[in-house]
Amino acid sequence: MSDREAEFLEYVSAHRGRMLRTARLLASGDDHWAEDLVQVALTKLYVHWAKVRRDEGAERYAHRILVNAFLDERKRMWRHREATTERLYDASPPTGADPADRLTVLAVLAKLPRRQHAVVVLRFFRDFDVRTTAELMGCTEGTVKSQTSRALATMRDLLHEPLETMESLR
Amino acid sequence: MTDLKSLLDDAAGQEPALTDADLTGDLDRGRRAVRRRRITGIGAGAAATAAVIGVGWALLPGLSAANTQPQVATTTTPTPQPTTDHPPGRPTGPLPPKPAVPVELVARTTQFPGRLTCDLVPKGWTTKLLLRGDDEQVELSDPNLSNPEQYREYTYQIRLRWATMRDEGHGLIPDKYSEPWSELPHVMAGTKEAVSTGKSAYDGRTEVFVRQEKTGPRVIVVTDGAVNLGWDEKTLLKFAGSCSHK
């Protein structure tokens, strides 16, 4: 194994779990789709590893690819799945929170337009600021702000409760 | 007051345990992708070399005994291959009738239903808005085609969609491709730069990505599989070049 591959695996070991959690929210709880998104992002990360490490950092790049793969896939007329390996992915549901609450939140996310959906995940789950979110999504900061505002309004309506977002501090 | 961060944190579930199989799979997929890129690069390079040799052969006098007449040197641009994997098996079902004469491209006289619009349209065809918003999609079809559902999907309509190229750090990339726009072979759609997939051997469709600004990420993607139009690529490019987003 080359140094490059060892470095890549070190990165994957440290970040794969967190990427999968982000992808689960983007995929509205579809664990197979989430795994696909992560695999797409990591594959592209491997291909461009040297350049990415040198220029912008692996984590930023991986998030950009993850979000772009999500945005891209939802607008395709058909969905392209990653090739499977000999090992089938075990999509057993995550444990922890109240399943009913979890499903409600995921259902609400699924109802958001895709860019609003991505903005919510990047800003309120990954805690990226407006500028970083805009860079990751390839849009302006103004677009991120307006998408955030619309998304929160929709979520409040659908969840039937006010949301504490610490928006004033962002 | 409910904290959104907590809601999302719970909904994302716990971090799964990482296994050796995960790591091996990620590494294998990466290695395969690198191999694919190398093979694609070699293929494109070989095609370009063959074209250069072909041109040189045609232009150098006396190399061929039969070369007594001026020869027209032709080069071919390798058709870019979309990266999308198709499901196995070709689409089945009857095709709509091919017209004896290609349907004429005429100036638009009615408004399109959304923000996508084209100055030129196939004569007599009508538009339908399929999707509104950032990913607007419009379909054009012949209202006089009886019982179109009997025909194979995508063989009797043209679709337009408003799309954004993705930025992966080494240039803007149209969806379905893995190479940046700057590295793809270009054609002109009217006055606009475009990339064409060429006619798919799989389902006969041609997709044309027409860039809307010189440096911006926005493209209009025109998908034509309409057998009942009888268009060649030149006509399709003329049509695609007349389309814009209001």
Side-chain angles (χ1 to χ4, degrees):
Chain A
M1 184 184 298
S2 65
D3 288 350
R4 164 202 159 108
E5 289 187 342
E7 215 178 36
F8 172 76
L9 285 183
E10 191 182 327
Y11 176 85
V12 174
S13 304
H15 294 87
R16 198 182 204 284
R18 192 155 48 150
M19 285 176 74
L20 191 58
R21 293 186 76 221
T22 306
R24 273 185 195 147
L25 291 178
L26 290 172
S28 303
D30 180 339
D31 277 11
H32 289 285
W33 185 13
E35 176 66 21
D36 276 358
L37 292 174
V38 170
Q39 288 182 10
V40 165
L42 289 177
T43 301
K44 289 187 174 167
L45 184 62
Y46 177 90
V47 170
H48 301 292
W49 182 252
K51 185 178 188 306
V52 167
R53 291 287 275 181
R54 187 179 65 236
D55 295 347
E56 69 170 318
E59 186 169 14
R60 200 179 182 83
Y61 181 84
H63 271 97
R64 193 137 52 86
I65 301 304
L66 196 64
V67 170
N68 279 329
F70 163 71
L71 296 176
D72 189 36
E73 190 154 332
R74 277 189 60 170
K75 70 186 165 200
R76 284 189 186 181
M77 289 176 195
W78 59 86
R79 187 178 288 181
H80 161 57
R81 290 293 196 184
E82 264 304 293
T84 53
T85 56
E86 68 277 7
R87 174 180 166 265
L88 284 176
Y89 174 65
D90 174 17
S92 51
T95 54
D98 181 342
D101 285 349
R102 183 172 181 269
L103 289 175
T104 304
V105 174
L106 293 172
V108 168
L109 284 175
K111 287 200 166 84
L112 293 176
R114 62 188 175 85
R115 286 193 164 268
Q116 293 180 27
H117 184 156
V119 161
V120 167
V121 173
L122 290 176
R123 295 205 56 207
F124 301 109
F125 176 66
R126 293 295 293 117
D127 287 325
F128 289 127
D129 59 19
V130 172
R131 188 174 156 193
T132 309
T133 304
E135 283 173 9
L136 291 173
M137 293 183 58
C139 63
T140 65
E141 292 182 29
T143 303
V144 170
K145 287 177 187 168
S146 62
Q147 299 276 16
T148 305
S149 169
R150 282 184 212 142
L152 292 178
T154 307
M155 291 186 80
R156 284 185 192 108
D157 282 350
L158 293 172
L159 290 168
H160 303 296
E161 55 184 320
L163 291 172
E164 174 57 68
T165 61
M166 305 292 282
E167 183 66 16
S168 57
L169 301 178
R170 288 170 191 274
Chain B
M1 192 77 81
T2 306
D3 177 16
L4 179 56
K5 167 87 178 160
S6 305
L7 283 179
L8 293 173
D9 212 45
D10 289 343
Q14 290 175 341
E15 206 165 292
L18 187 70
T19 65
D20 285 346
D22 289 329
L23 292 174
T24 309
D26 290 332
L27 197 55
D28 285 348
R29 276 184 290 274
R31 285 171 174 163
R32 280 202 302 269
V34 168
R35 273 201 299 275
R36 276 199 302 272
R37 281 172 65 86
R38 284 182 187 148
I39 291 166
T40 308
I42 290 166
T49 307
V52 169
I53 291 169
V55 171
W57 185 263
L59 294 178
L60 280 174
L63 282 179
S64 165
N67 191 18
T68 53
Q69 296 294 320
Q71 299 292 312
V72 178
T74 57
T75 58
T76 54
T77 305
T79 302
Q81 295 303 309
T83 53
T84 305
D85 290 343
H86 291 298
R90 287 164 188 268
T92 55
L95 298 173
K98 187 173 180 179
V101 179
V103 174
E104 198 182 343
L105 196 55
V106 296
R108 171 179 56 80
T109 54
T110 55
Q111 293 292 316
F112 272 49
R115 299 185 68 189
L116 284 170
T117 187
C118 302
D119 294 334
L120 300 173
V121 291
K123 190 175 184 180
W125 282 42
T126 54
T127 53
K128 184 170 79 174
L129 187 63
L130 299 179
L131 203 61
R132 194 183 289 279
D134 281 350
D135 308 321
E136 182 173 315
Q137 287 184 23
V138 175
E139 185 177 282
L140 285 82
S141 58
D142 179 3
N144 297 319
L145 182 68
S146 59
N147 195 14
E149 294 76 21
Q150 67 181 301
Y151 301 117
R152 191 184 303 174
E153 200 177 10
Y154 302 122
T155 58
Y156 53 90
Q157 64 266 84
I158 289 186
R159 282 191 179 173
L160 308 178
R161 64 185 167 92
W162 183 230
T164 306
M165 289 190 278
R166 62 187 189 277
D167 183 356
E168 295 183 359
H170 57 292
L172 293 166
I173 303 174
D175 56 47
K176 299 191 183 168
Y177 285 93
S178 58
E179 299 302 317
W181 182 272
S182 57
E183 293 175 21
L184 294 168
H186 297 149
V187 290
M188 293 305 289
T191 58
K192 296 169 189 163
E193 205 171 61
V195 167
S196 171
T197 61
K199 195 167 186 172
S200 161
Y202 169 73
D203 59 11
R205 283 191 288 173
T206 303
E207 282 202 286
V208 180
F209 297 73
V210 187
R211 196 161 191 178
Q212 297 302 298
E213 306 140 344
K214 279 210 180 304
T215 56
R218 285 297 199 168
V219 287
I220 291 179
V221 187
V222 180
T223 308
D224 172 30
V227 174
N228 53 335
L229 272 179
W231 280 1
D232 55 16
E233 185 161 280
K234 188 178 165 193
T235 312
L236 175 61
L237 288 172
K238 191 174 175 187
F239 164 72
S242 80
C243 299
S244 57
H245 188 263
K246 290 183 280 185

